[in-house]
Amino acid sequence: MKKIVCRCHDVTESDIEDAIDSGYDDFESLKRITGITTGQCQGKTCMDLARGILERKTGKPVTQTTRIRSPIDPITLGSLVKSTAKKK
Amino acid sequence: MVDWRIYEHPILEFDRGEEVTIYLDGEPMKAFESETVAAALYANGLREFSKSIKYRRPRGFFCAIGRCSTCMMEVDGVPNVRTCIVMVKAGMRIKRQKYLAEYLSPILNLMKLPPQVYMRLMTRPGIIYKPAMMVMRQLTGLGAFPKKVLDPPPQNQGAQGEISTEFLIVGGGPAGMQAAIEAGQRGISVVIVDDKDRLGGQLVKQTHTFFSDIKYAAGKRGFKLGEEMISQLDQLPNVRVITETSAVGYYPKEDIMLLKGPNNTTLKVNAKKYLVATGAYEKTLVFENNDLPGVYGAGGVQTLLNVFGIKPGNRGILLGTGNVALMVAYHLIQAGIEVAGVYAPSFRRVRGYFVHAAKIQRHGVPVVTRHTIVKALGRKEVKGAIMTKLNTDYSHVPGSQFKVDCDFICIGVGLNPAYDLVQLFNPKMVRSGVLGGFVPIRDKTYRFAENAYIAGDCGSIEEATTAVLEGGLAGLHVTEALDIRSEEISEKITEYEHALEEDRSSPFSAGLKTAMNEITVDDIMEVLT
Ligand SMILES: Cc1cc2nc3c(=O)[nH]c(=O)nc-3n(C[C@H](O)[C@H](O)[C@H](O)COP(=O)(O)OP(=O)(O)OC[C@H]3O[C@@H](n4cnc5c(N)ncnc54)[C@H](O)[C@@H]3O)c2cc1C
Ligand code: FES
């Protein structure tokens, strides 16, 4: 029975724990190896849960959020292309 | 035909607008114009909206406010549409996203690959990548590419192009609206955007009376307060309201906020000042089957129930004993839905206002602390829950597990400040347990970056009343920053500050004042450089 942490990429609690055990024990590495916070919802569900697991396993507080980049919500490529094309 | 809509409610009337027909995989369904696609489908009995990407697990809606992305379906040929924030239109064709035959899923479930392998699977050699991707895309629930290039949005639709304004407010909850009112009344040109079809933020679903000393809100039902603010805004010609449009990016170099409207329209806004008032995201819990359709955010259930008048199920349980969970339990009871219990891991007494808890207990609903959920039961949707008692160290008390029959589980364990849009302004973020999560350092004028301000839940998780006050203050400070000053403005600022001070002095707000002081500095630019 699965305990889902990241719904977008189907990352489970044990995936996160395994990754931490294999040495990815800071938030940025954990993000890169498991894909958490990089799905369609951009971490709105998983960030807080993963942070909790990381803190529980390492005993160290997570004091930084992960880097956020625009766009924060999926948009069609077309809408971006169009807007730059217009400028020229 | 199943219909989960509530047609008789003791205190609410639902004005659903015109009845229309929409099609799910070709099958006609009854819907109303005022409903979102997800709400209409739910009313027709649909519980599984999508399949998860890797394990193909059934997924229902969760947040109902466009945050969690588990309600994505194909709508009129466009894949991956969040059906919970798209309004119904007559004749809409909705499809469940493609995924190759379900018989494959048990096999794939067996391949428990470590994440590092999964991420790189079949990316090399290049020659197999393309065909592999075609297969993989079918296996995932990510939908098929549209058959043809999508039509460009018609010229007259939505908000498009580029505009400049003095003050752009993102988020039309109580905080954003009050800021728009205060700045708008003083002649500032304001644009306020919200991703919902109407302004009001969380207020639209709050059907109970606020009890607060604050004159702005006391004795009013939440949604009425919202409606009053909207009609105040209507009277201000210099305030432009844009709904169904979300802010998806801020580009500091160009000083442009990128907005996304319906039908792939985009609008670029350059403003002298920005206010981020984007509210909060619901927290959730990790337990077995926590993604099963029927496990919903308490706010999502409240939206379904109070905004759309649709029953989430017949018998539910609530997790959490904060005000949100208690209120939602009460709203469920009001609508005639059975609540099997309100459970929380907390060892203190109930966290919410005592009156709320008492109200629920009077209806015979147990409010139980020191308990948590172990597992949601059911294969396709929730059929029950396994609960356990907790030891003081939060370990499970052996042998204390019991089963509760229910067809939905509501998670109301608190909110996280919406951290994403805020961070695009490169602020200094700090984590504060009392304030709910990661929030930016700001100064006394609510400025957290060179040209950006913050108010409401995204800056600290509090209440609607505090959101109104903070929004009002931010609006006034922005007005001053835009060089409109007067005796009247300074007096109004003092008035708001007093009200906030009072609001934060209640015994329930213990620690709040200190926490706010810790993140408020005299000179924000000094912190940022
Ligand atoms: C279930 C529940 C019950 C509550 N009960 C009470 C109560 O009884 N009394 C009380 O005082 N308080 C109550 N509260 C708290 C209160 O509702 C909130 O504190 C208040 O609504 C916060 O206001 P806000 O303006 O900061 O955010 P919100 O009301 O959350 O509004 C933010 C708005 O911004 C929009 N938005 C977010 N991101 C974007 C974007 N990128 N682009 C465009 N728009 C965006 C959102 O869709 C939303 O409409 C309750 C909250 C909940 C969830
Ligand atoms: S995004 Fe639609 S239910 Fe969460």
Side-chain angles (χ1 to χ4, degrees):
Chain A
M1 291 258 213
K2 292 192 164 44
K3 301 181 182 180
I4 301 289
V5 170
C6 160
R7 288 160 177 257
C8 301
H9 287 320
D10 260 0
V11 181
T12 63
E13 186 186 44
S14 64
D15 288 339
I16 305 251
E17 287 172 344
D18 290 351
I20 298 171
D21 288 339
S22 359
Y24 302 97
D25 60 357
D26 65 282
F27 206 92
E28 284 298 317
S29 327
L30 198 57
K31 164 178 168 177
R32 280 166 173 73
I33 202 67
T34 61
I36 52 165
T37 82
T38 65
Q40 305 94 319
C41 85
Q42 293 285 291
K44 294 179 180 65
T45 312
C46 61
M47 191 168 90
D48 192 53
L49 296 176
R51 181 192 52 73
I53 299 169
L54 188 59
E55 290 184 343
R56 168 161 56 77
K57 294 231 13 146
T58 61
K60 281 183 286 188
V62 176
T63 53
Q64 285 296 307
T65 57
T66 153
R67 173 86 190 267
I68 310 284
R69 293 175 181 84
S70 304
I72 54 173
D73 208 24
I75 50 177
T76 60
L77 273 175
S79 54
L80 280 182
V81 171
K82 191 172 69 244
S83 37
T84 47
K86 234 189 205 161
K87 239 182 164 177
K88 284 194 178 146
Chain B
M1 213 164 80
V2 280
D3 191 349
W4 288 82
R5 293 182 185 87
I6 301 165
Y7 291 97
E8 267 169 54
H9 192 284
I11 60 161
L12 298 179
E13 255 178 67
F14 300 105
D15 177 13
R16 296 193 160 90
E18 203 149 311
E19 187 182 324
V20 294
T21 304
I22 57 171
Y23 300 87
L24 173 65
D25 293 328
E27 200 188 312
M29 290 194 167
K30 172 167 139 185
F32 290 91
E33 270 180 337
S34 67
E35 290 173 341
T36 58
V37 174
L41 294 175
Y42 199 90
N44 282 282
L46 185 76
R47 295 296 176 264
E48 178 185 311
F49 285 71
S50 64
K51 277 265 200 278
S52 77
I53 177 169
K54 190 168 147 199
Y55 302 117
R56 282 144 300 278
R57 293 164 71 82
R59 292 276 163 82
F61 84 92
F62 181 78
C63 69
I65 53 166
R67 301 284 176 262
C68 69
S69 73
T70 57
C71 63
M72 296 204 300
M73 302 177 94
E74 185 181 310
V75 177
D76 287 338
V78 184
N80 299 328
V81 173
R82 287 186 183 142
T83 51
C84 71
I85 49 169
V86 170
M87 305 305 288
V88 158
K89 279 194 208 71
M92 232 175 199
R93 300 205 161 256
I94 299 126
K95 275 189 180 165
R96 273 177 270 219
Q97 311 240 39
K98 274 198 141 168
Y99 31 87
L100 251 193
E102 286 194 20
Y103 62 83
L104 269 175
S105 73
I107 306 170
L108 283 148
N109 283 348
L110 284 178
M111 310 183 354
K112 190 188 177 307
L113 302 166
Q116 43 272 58
V117 175
Y118 164 67
M119 297 302 280
R120 288 182 211 139
L121 207 63
M122 292 191 246
T123 53
R124 258 179 221 124
I127 197 164
I128 70 156
Y129 179 66
K130 260 203 159 169
M133 274 321 274
M134 280 159 71
V135 178
M136 291 303 265
R137 201 161 172 107
Q138 292 288 307
L139 290 173
T140 70
L142 272 184
F145 278 118
K147 298 270 176 309
K148 61 182 180 71
V149 176
L150 299 176
D151 292 333
Q155 280 305 319
N156 55 1
Q157 203 170 40
Q160 278 185 79
E162 294 174 34
I163 55 168
S164 290
T165 184
E166 285 184 292
F167 187 20
L168 173 66
I169 300 173
V170 183
M177 283 197 290
Q178 191 69 9
I181 292 170
E182 293 296 359
Q185 281 177 347
R186 286 165 183 84
I188 305 283
S189 80
V190 182
V191 174
I192 175 168
V193 288
D194 196 282
D195 51 7
K196 303 287 133 43
D197 64 309
R198 61 194 102 179
L199 294 183
Q202 302 293 329
L203 286 180
V204 298
K205 42 188 154 166
Q206 290 164 19
T207 51
H208 52 279
T209 320
F210 284 178
F211 43 90
S212 151
D213 308 332
I214 296 187
K215 64 172 185 208
Y216 302 94
K220 284 180 193 157
R221 294 192 187 279
F223 71 103
K224 284 270 188 264
L225 181 67
E227 282 169 8
E228 281 178 24
M229 295 172 89
I230 292 172
S231 62
Q232 261 180 290
L233 282 174
D234 279 346
Q235 282 158 20
L236 297 168
N238 49 328
V239 176
R240 176 168 175 200
V241 177
I242 306 178
T243 51
E244 285 186 77
T245 297
S246 52
V248 295
Y250 174 70
Y251 300 86
K253 241 195 254 152
E254 294 81 7
D255 192 13
I256 290 278
M257 185 81 85
L258 179 66
L259 310 182
K260 171 180 83 167
N263 295 319
N264 306 309
T265 48
T266 50
L267 177 66
K268 294 193 213 161
V269 187
N270 164 267
K272 290 191 181 131
K273 304 286 169 200
Y274 300 87
L275 176 70
V276 184
T278 46
Y281 309 134
E282 284 197 277
K283 288 188 186 175
T284 178
L285 295 169
V286 180
F287 55 87
E288 283 178 47
N289 277 339
N290 58 348
D291 60 336
L292 198 63
V295 178
Y296 305 132
V301 165
Q302 215 185 17
T303 306
L304 205 62
L305 195 62
N306 294 346
V307 179
F308 299 109
I310 295 169
K311 288 196 216 175
N314 291 317
R315 188 173 205 261
I317 60 165
L318 274 117
L319 305 174
T321 57
N323 276 326
V324 171
L326 295 174
M327 282 325 305
V328 174
Y330 186 61
H331 293 159
L332 286 165
I333 297 167
Q334 267 183 336
I337 298 159
E338 202 182 333
V339 178
V342 180
Y343 298 91
S346 154
F347 279 84
R348 288 172 293 155
R349 50 180 196 92
V350 176
R351 271 193 305 127
Y353 291 127
F354 180 71
V355 254
H356 289 336
K359 228 171 7 182
I360 296 159
Q361 281 164 325
R362 266 204 305 279
H363 283 89
V365 173
V367 177
V368 190
T369 49
R370 304 182 175 206
H371 277 74
T372 196
I373 185 166
V374 181
K375 172 196 295 190
L377 299 171
R379 258 174 53 83
K380 294 213 134 145
E381 52 191 70
V382 168
K383 292 263 163 31
I386 301 284
M387 308 297 300
T388 181
K389 200 172 176 193
L390 292 172
N391 287 313
T392 33
D393 62 351
Y394 292 97
S395 59
H396 298 178
V397 174
S400 70
Q401 293 195 352
F402 59 95
K403 183 180 159 204
V404 183
D405 285 319
C406 57
D407 59 1
F408 69 102
I409 296 167
C410 249
I411 308 183
V413 292
L415 302 170
N416 266 320
Y419 55 87
D420 35 14
L421 198 65
V422 175
Q423 288 203 70
L424 298 179
F425 288 90
N426 290 320
K428 175 133 177 55
M429 300 292 281
V430 284
R431 185 152 150 243
S432 162
V434 181
L435 302 180
F438 288 101
V439 290
I441 302 268
R442 78 273 332 241
D443 67 13
K444 293 200 175 66
T445 68
Y446 293 85
R447 188 161 81 131
F448 71 94
E450 194 175 349
N451 50 0
Y453 294 71
I454 192 157
D457 275 357
C458 62
S460 58
I461 301 293
E462 290 179 76
E463 290 189 325
T465 45
T466 22
V468 170
L469 298 172
E470 286 195 343
L473 275 170
L476 291 169
H477 284 301
V478 165
T479 308
E480 286 198 330
L482 290 168
D483 279 334
I484 297 186
R485 283 162 209 278
S486 72
E487 193 74 356
E488 184 264 335
I489 295 182
S490 345
E491 273 166 24
K492 194 86 196 243
I493 290 180
T494 322
E495 194 186 310
Y496 271 121
E497 276 171 353
H498 279 309
L500 251 185
E501 178 83 16
E502 221 172 280
D503 205 34
R504 292 193 176 128
S505 306
S506 90
F508 287 103
S509 322
L512 245 170
K513 247 203 271 186
T514 330
M516 286 305 287
N517 285 339
E518 274 168 15
I519 60 158
T520 309
V521 296
D522 287 330
D523 183 359
I524 184 70
M525 295 319 286
E526 207 166 86
V527 176
L528 294 176
T529 46

